[in-house]
Amino acid sequence: MDTVELLILLVGSLAVTGFARAKGLPAPLLVTAVALAASFLPGLPPIEIDSEVILTLILPPLLYSAALDVSWQSFRTSIKQIRRLGIFLVIVTALAVGLAAYIIIPDMDWPAAILLGAIVAPPDAVSAAAIGRKLGLPRRVMTVLSGESLINDAASLTLVRVFTLIAAGTSLTIWQDLGIFGLAIGVGLAVGGVLGVLVHWIRQRINDPVVETIMSILLPFVAYILAEDLSGSGVIAVVTAGLYIGYNSPKEGYATRLQERPLWTSIDVILEGFVFALIGLQLNTVVQDLIKSERSLGQTITAAAVVLAVVIVVRPLFVFESYVRNRFNGRWLRPLRIRLSRGHPSLRWLRGSAEPKLNWRELTVISWTGMRGVVTLAAAVSVVANPVDIKAQDTIFVIAFFVTVGTLLLQGLSLPFVIRRLKVQDPAEGEEDIRSEMRLNQRTTEAAIQLLDDRKPEWSAQFGTDAVEAVVSRLKARLERQAETFRRDAEEEESEERNAPVRLSGAQIQDIRRELLDRRREIVLEERERGNLDEEVMRRVLVTLDAEELAMDSAQASRSRS
């Protein structure tokens, strides 16, 4: 892909993304659909996917950005559900697809079949997360989806690494296989952890938002490349670094946080549009390969359809198997485990740990968020580009493409209907967040007032009683007015909650607040145009209003992604 083609692809995908966002449509699906149609335009040169470019330059920033926004507390609380989906479901899917492929594709041996299963195993959470945020999925559901997306790529790519070696003729024992997995996880955690600690330590001390932001941009690429060079998992390294930096970002300067968030949001939009456009533009290439292939066209399409069906069916079966098993354990076995754990201290592990409980509606939504994406295609391309001959090598990319597009269109287009039909939304969650925000504002303001009282004698001795008295009195009066406002707002919110016949969702309240901010900006501009407001004063007022809206957007994004 030359520079002109790259520029056209970026501009085109951004234009379609902008149109989709303006119309409230799922951008990844629309970009994919438009690119599928555009792939047959006459004169359009074939655009090839470079797996190294995708896995090294596109995947790391997308993973890092997602990890920054994941709540570590929520991630840790839901770790059992995330682990089941992000690791064990990937393995189960790889085995199920491998069995199906081995049966229906005559010249595919077991290693190549499992390799195909590993390639199509990991769902891409970009489109699912976008739809979930827009439709207001509960936080516990978004936490599971986001957490799964952070670790399933690592599991899948490690499986691909192992079975590529086996399919190419390398003999590996089970202990060597486990050693590759263990090395990938250990090196990934170590590299990501060390880099995260180092970058956070430096950013706390340099106090330069521009340099700190540049370090954040470079971190995912350095973590991924270094971990891969050390035979570790670049995905785990990036996720580990992102989780650490995101968790510790409140300890860093506010200017860096205000600068980074819109930057990473913009990077996400550009890269997501780009990768889904790449997926769609492969259709013509796949069709041409099918026509030229010595394999029967009908046989290949049949095999791809069967694999697609297996991929779609395995996920809900696995998800609800866990649900049924947990219900059985909870009703019959958990009381027994608790009694045993009380009988002997060494059996306390039988109790298990608390985690958010998902009802069958939420599990249905999770089971239908299995859209595949760029990792699947990149892994397939890496296998096709492998110089070592692998059984049914040409078929692997065709099936991977078919599964990716099929899940995007079938599950992606129907997911909004499923969410709305099952009413898997929680407007009260947004309202509770607003009340928590009010209570927190009140507590921080009261703590600031207490600090003024505690430090007043010390400041008086240092700067003089009269000067300090005037400043402290003015600041204290301002903080007390703010505290009273927060207290009154919280009481009114609780009163409205009890008495209102119809409750507004958090998103609806945010829309109203946003309209108020827009009106206040209009007044600022009107005063400037009339000559009643200095330009510098106007900019300071606008910064205050912009920060208030940014805080609203950040809170909404955090509620959606955590």
Side-chain angles (χ1 to χ4, degrees):
M1 185 186 303
D2 60 28
T3 305
V4 176
E5 293 174 348
L6 176 61
L7 183 61
I8 292 174
L9 184 57
L10 285 172
V11 173
S13 61
L14 182 59
V16 177
T17 299
F19 175 81
R21 290 165 66 92
K23 298 298 182 181
L25 302 172
L29 304 183
L30 186 61
V31 170
T32 303
V34 172
L36 287 171
S39 66
F40 291 100
L41 290 176
L44 183 71
I47 297 178
E48 298 181 355
I49 292 180
D50 188 330
S51 61
E52 288 299 320
V53 170
I54 291 177
L55 294 179
T56 306
L57 297 181
I58 295 179
L59 183 62
L62 287 175
L63 286 172
Y64 182 78
S65 176
L68 286 177
D69 283 330
V70 169
S71 166
W72 170 246
Q73 289 94 336
S74 299
F75 183 89
R76 184 177 56 188
T77 302
S78 303
I79 190 63
K80 289 184 178 180
Q81 297 157 332
I82 292 171
R83 186 176 62 231
R84 281 197 296 267
L85 297 178
I87 298 177
F88 296 113
L89 178 56
V90 168
I91 297 174
V92 170
T93 303
L95 294 175
V97 169
L99 177 61
Y102 179 75
I103 293 174
I104 62 178
I105 302 176
D107 58 343
M108 182 170 282
D109 56 14
W110 265 112
I114 302 297
L115 174 60
L116 172 61
I119 289 172
V120 300
D124 186 303
V126 171
S127 52
I131 295 171
R133 286 194 297 269
K134 181 176 180 59
L135 296 179
L137 282 179
R139 181 180 291 120
R140 56 187 176 275
V141 177
M142 293 300 298
T143 296
V144 172
L145 293 178
S146 299
E148 177 194 6
S149 71
L150 293 179
I151 63 176
N152 61 10
D153 291 340
S156 171
L157 291 175
T158 306
L159 279 175
V160 169
R161 182 185 303 174
V162 170
F163 282 95
T164 298
L165 292 174
I166 297 175
T170 303
S171 298
L172 295 176
T173 65
I174 184 65
W175 295 112
Q176 289 173 318
D177 294 340
L178 293 176
I180 293 175
F181 273 94
L183 182 64
I185 295 172
V187 171
L189 290 172
V191 169
V194 170
L195 289 177
V197 171
L198 179 62
V199 169
H200 172 62
W201 184 85
I202 295 174
R203 293 193 347 159
Q204 277 188 304
R205 285 158 177 78
I206 60 177
N207 194 28
D208 188 333
V210 175
V211 176
E212 293 175 44
T213 302
I214 294 174
M215 292 179 67
S216 180
I217 293 175
L218 293 177
L219 178 57
F221 302 107
V222 175
Y224 187 91
I225 294 172
L226 181 59
E228 290 291 324
D229 286 346
L230 296 175
S231 299
S233 169
V235 172
I236 291 180
V238 171
V239 170
T240 302
L243 286 172
Y244 186 87
I245 294 295
Y247 182 75
N248 289 282
S249 63
K251 303 175 185 178
E252 298 171 359
Y254 77 95
T256 302
R257 293 193 297 274
L258 289 176
Q259 187 167 270
E260 279 186 344
R261 183 171 292 277
L263 175 64
W264 279 113
T265 301
S266 301
I267 291 174
D268 285 346
V269 170
I270 293 175
L271 293 183
E272 289 168 7
F274 177 76
V275 297
F276 283 105
L278 271 182
I279 291 173
L281 290 174
Q282 302 307 304
L283 178 59
N284 193 10
T285 302
V286 170
V287 171
Q288 297 301 323
D289 290 344
L290 279 174
I291 295 175
K292 298 175 183 178
S293 175
E294 297 179 358
R295 189 184 305 276
S296 166
L297 179 62
Q299 185 183 45
T300 303
I301 293 178
T302 300
V306 171
V307 170
L308 173 62
V310 172
V311 165
I312 291 176
V313 170
V314 163
R315 185 175 177 89
L317 289 178
F318 183 89
V319 168
F320 278 98
E321 181 276 333
S322 300
Y323 175 73
V324 172
R325 176 166 44 83
N326 288 338
R327 288 290 294 265
F328 176 78
N329 288 345
R331 177 173 296 181
W332 300 104
L333 298 184
R334 184 168 175 77
L336 176 61
R337 293 202 304 267
I338 291 176
R339 287 196 295 271
L340 289 174
S341 66
R342 289 171 178 170
H344 197 282
S346 63
L347 299 177
R348 287 178 182 172
W349 60 271
L350 286 170
R351 292 192 181 193
S353 58
E355 61 177 329
K357 300 301 181 183
L358 302 175
N359 58 47
W360 70 269
R361 292 182 177 85
E362 294 166 339
L363 290 174
T364 301
V365 171
I366 290 176
S367 69
W368 201 243
T369 55
M371 293 83 83
R372 269 52 180 176
V374 64
V375 172
T376 293
L377 279 190
V381 170
S382 68
V383 170
V384 173
N386 196 311
V388 180
D389 184 47
I390 295 176
K391 293 288 187 180
Q393 201 169 18
D394 58 331
T395 308
I396 288 178
F397 178 75
V398 174
I399 295 179
F401 175 84
F402 192 94
V403 170
T404 300
V405 175
T407 52
L408 280 173
L409 296 181
L410 290 177
Q411 295 181 305
L413 290 176
S414 58
L415 182 59
F417 170 79
V418 173
I419 294 174
R420 293 191 184 99
R421 181 68 176 176
L422 296 178
K423 299 180 180 179
V424 186
Q425 296 162 307
D426 192 357
E429 190 173 80
E431 297 170 5
E432 177 57 33
D433 287 345
I434 293 173
R435 290 192 291 273
S436 297
E437 182 181 341
M438 291 177 179
R439 290 193 293 267
L440 183 59
N441 283 331
Q442 184 178 356
R443 288 191 61 189
T444 56
T445 306
E446 291 171 350
I449 294 173
Q450 184 63 46
L451 178 63
L452 285 176
D453 293 333
D454 294 342
R455 297 290 300 277
K456 183 178 176 180
E458 178 184 342
W459 291 331
S460 297
Q462 185 175 358
F463 303 114
T465 303
D466 294 339
V468 170
E469 182 69 35
V471 173
V472 169
S473 297
R474 186 170 66 251
L475 292 177
K476 188 173 181 180
R478 182 184 303 171
L479 289 171
E480 286 175 343
R481 288 195 300 269
Q482 291 178 355
E484 177 62 24
T485 299
F486 292 139
R487 185 191 61 78
R488 188 169 55 250
D489 289 345
E491 291 177 353
E492 291 176 357
E493 185 73 21
E494 293 177 0
S495 176
E496 292 173 0
E497 171 71 14
R498 290 191 300 267
N499 301 325
V502 179
R503 296 186 300 180
L504 293 181
S505 68
Q508 291 168 328
I509 295 174
Q510 298 287 46
D511 290 341
I512 294 174
R513 294 175 63 187
R514 197 167 280 110
E515 284 192 34
L516 298 178
L517 286 172
D518 290 340
R519 180 54 184 157
R520 292 166 67 184
R521 289 192 185 95
E522 291 174 4
I523 297 299
V524 171
L525 295 178
E526 289 175 4
E527 289 297 304
R528 193 271 306 270
E529 296 302 326
R530 292 172 182 168
N532 299 331
L533 188 63
D534 184 79
E535 193 83 13
E536 286 298 320
V537 176
M538 181 203 72
R539 290 197 182 101
R540 287 199 297 269
V541 174
L542 286 178
V543 166
T544 302
L545 297 177
D546 293 344
E548 184 176 345
E549 186 164 11
L550 178 61
M552 290 165 49
D553 292 339
S554 300
Q556 185 175 358
S558 298
R559 286 194 297 269
S560 300
R561 292 190 176 188
S562 62

